């Protein structure tokens, strides 16, 4: 195994991921529920993609955006969970230098891509409720393509410097990462260089992207609520709110899980260090598992698509 060098990172060929350094016995108990959640996330998102692809009535911009969200969830799960389960089951702790920073890039960029997708979906619901007559001319297939390009390009561009800055550091404090995944904080701690700029960039870029998305989401729903409260027709309020209820639940859940993760990381000195590690894993697993289920339960068209798919099997 290659060890770190005081002069260069060139001698480093791999890192060692040590899950739950203080409570390694946890991984045996966690492997079963995590594997079940992983199968649920992969199965639910794949099923949702197949239903949207096969069902002609779902070939609409709103469902195309939902497909984008499912694709992002699938990539996030495949990037993180298989390696975690390999550590739990087979003690495969080594991860190559390049694979570690690739994982770091995907986690950082796809997290903000999900946030940006929620923002685009909020705009879709804003136009649908506040400007229903203009909806077909504004939210078109071309709009979805441009939105997808924007979501991917913006977040990949701003997230790319994070792994590049980490990869350029000199590592002299060993190659053991006390985490199940290659987070920027866990990896950069092993460096003997000054990592303030590295951490500052991730903090500023991450919260600028997530914060701007959140502000636009809040504004969209504020306008939606304002319009809905003016509706006088009986049952119209409930119908209008139901069209964006699933989306709002997903945003609320995504934000809550992220907030809990941030709070636990800020309070590292007061809680066991293994707790943020566990929450980081769950953040990459629970939302992907629940997103398609929430839409499947609350959306009549998707439920009908599931029924048709089951009849074909």
């Amino acid at each position: 195994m290659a060890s770190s060098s005081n002069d260069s990172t060139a001698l480093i060929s791999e890192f060692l991921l040590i899950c739950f350094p203080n409570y390694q016995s946890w991984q045996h108990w966690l492997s079963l529920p995590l594997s079940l959640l992983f199968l649920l996330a992969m199965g639910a998102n794949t099923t949702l993609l197949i239903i949207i692809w096969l069902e002609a009535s779902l070939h609409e911009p709103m469902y195309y955006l939902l497909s984008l969200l499912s694709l992002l969830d699938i990539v996030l799960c495949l990037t993180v969970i298989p390696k975690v389960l390999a550590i739990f089951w087979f003690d495969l702790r080594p991860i190559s230098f390049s694979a570690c920073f690739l994982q770091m890039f995907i986690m950082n960029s796809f997290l903000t891509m999900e946030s940006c997708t929620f923002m685009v979906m909020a705009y879709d619901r804003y136009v649908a409720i506040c400007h229903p007559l203009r909806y077909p001319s504004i939210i078109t297939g071309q709009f979805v393509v441009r939105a997808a390009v924007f979501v991917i390009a913006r977040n990949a561009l701003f997230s790319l410097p994070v792994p590049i800055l980490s990869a350029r550091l000199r590592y002299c404090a060993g190659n053991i990462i006390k985490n199940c995944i290659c987070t920027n904080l866990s990896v950069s701690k092993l460096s003997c260089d000054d990592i303030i700029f590295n951490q500052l960039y991730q903090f500023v870029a991450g919260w600028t992207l997530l914060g701007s998305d959140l502000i636009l989401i809040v504004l969209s729903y504020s306008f939606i609520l304002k319009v809905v409260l003016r509706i006088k027709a009986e049952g119209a309020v409930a119908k209008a709110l139901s069209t964006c209820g699933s989306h709002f639940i997903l945003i609320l859940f995504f934000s809550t899980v992220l907030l809990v993760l941030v709070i636990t990381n800020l309070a590292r000195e007061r809680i066991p260090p293994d707790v943020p590690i566990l929450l980081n894993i769950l953040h990459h697993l629970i939302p992907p598992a629940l997103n398609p289920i929430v839409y499947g339960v609350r959306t009549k068209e998707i439920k009908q698509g599931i029924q048709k798919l089951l009849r074909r099997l």
Side-chain angles (χ1 to χ4, degrees):
M1 183 185 304
S3 59
S4 57
S5 169
N6 289 331
D7 299 318
S8 173
T9 60
L11 296 179
I12 295 180
S13 61
E14 62 184 19
F15 293 108
L16 280 180
L17 295 170
I18 307 297
C19 286
F20 309 119
N22 296 330
Y23 301 95
Q24 292 193 39
S25 60
W26 282 19
Q27 60 191 47
H28 302 294
W29 296 99
L30 285 172
S31 61
L32 180 59
L34 287 181
S35 59
L36 292 176
L37 279 172
F38 174 67
L39 291 174
L40 175 61
M42 296 301 296
N45 282 286
T46 302
T47 301
L48 184 61
L49 288 172
I50 292 173
I51 290 170
I52 294 174
W53 178 48
L54 294 177
E55 189 61 36
S57 63
L58 299 180
H59 294 174
E60 297 179 1
M62 181 177 72
Y63 298 108
Y64 290 146
L65 292 173
L66 183 57
S67 297
L68 175 60
L69 184 64
S70 288
L71 286 172
L72 296 175
D73 283 338
I74 288 174
V75 174
L76 267 177
C77 279
L78 290 175
T79 301
V80 175
I81 306 304
K83 180 59 180 178
V84 173
L85 293 178
I87 295 172
F88 286 179
W89 291 340
F90 309 111
D91 203 31
L92 298 178
R93 299 177 181 181
I95 183 170
S96 69
F97 188 80
S98 56
C100 183
F101 292 109
L102 176 61
Q103 186 188 68
M104 185 187 299
F105 168 70
I106 293 176
M107 288 189 300
N108 280 278
S109 60
F110 276 61
L111 174 66
T112 52
M113 284 181 197
E114 283 205 0
S115 172
C116 193
T117 303
F118 282 131
M119 182 267 291
V120 176
M121 294 170 73
Y123 176 73
D124 169 80
R125 293 299 85 200
Y126 160 75
V127 177
I129 294 176
C130 299
H131 303 282
L133 297 179
R134 297 176 59 195
Y135 181 84
S137 62
I138 296 176
I139 310 298
T140 62
Q142 190 177 34
F143 168 84
V144 174
V145 172
R146 289 177 177 175
V149 171
F150 172 74
V151 167
I152 295 171
R154 185 198 76 161
N155 297 289
L157 180 64
F158 280 93
S159 299
L160 186 59
V162 174
I164 291 177
L165 289 171
S166 290
R168 291 172 63 86
L169 295 173
R170 293 179 300 120
Y171 292 92
C172 57
N175 64 344
I176 296 177
I177 300 173
K178 294 182 179 180
N179 205 327
C180 297
I181 53 182
C182 290
T183 64
N184 183 38
L185 180 61
S186 299
V187 175
S188 60
K189 278 182 177 180
L190 303 179
S191 172
C192 52
D193 289 335
D194 187 356
I195 61 173
I196 292 179
F197 180 75
N198 182 325
Q199 294 177 330
L200 181 63
Y201 179 84
Q202 181 176 23
F203 178 82
V204 172
W207 286 109
T208 298
L209 296 174
L210 295 172
S212 60
D213 292 340
L214 182 60
I215 290 172
L216 292 173
I217 289 170
V218 170
L219 284 174
S220 296
Y221 274 97
S222 298
F223 288 126
I224 289 173
L225 185 61
K226 184 178 180 180
V227 169
V228 166
L229 293 178
R230 291 178 179 176
I231 300 176
K232 303 296 183 180
E234 185 178 351
V237 172
K239 183 178 180 180
L241 291 177
S242 68
T243 63
C244 54
S246 300
H247 177 221
F248 183 75
I249 291 173
L250 298 187
I251 293 173
L252 188 63
F253 189 79
F254 176 85
S255 302
T256 301
V257 175
L258 184 61
L259 181 61
V260 170
L261 180 60
V262 171
I263 292 174
T264 54
N265 275 278
L266 292 175
R268 279 180 179 271
E269 297 181 358
R270 300 183 181 180
I271 60 176
D274 293 331
V275 173
I277 295 175
L278 175 60
L279 290 175
N280 210 334
I281 296 172
L282 293 177
H283 179 61
H284 291 86
L285 187 57
I286 293 181
L290 293 184
N291 287 349
I293 294 175
V294 170
Y295 257 96
V297 169
R298 293 183 56 88
T299 307
K300 182 178 67 175
E301 291 80 6
I302 293 179
K303 284 192 287 187
Q304 292 173 347
I306 293 174
Q307 293 171 356
K308 290 182 180 179
L309 181 63
L310 291 175
R311 294 194 198 103
R312 294 179 184 180
L313 298 177

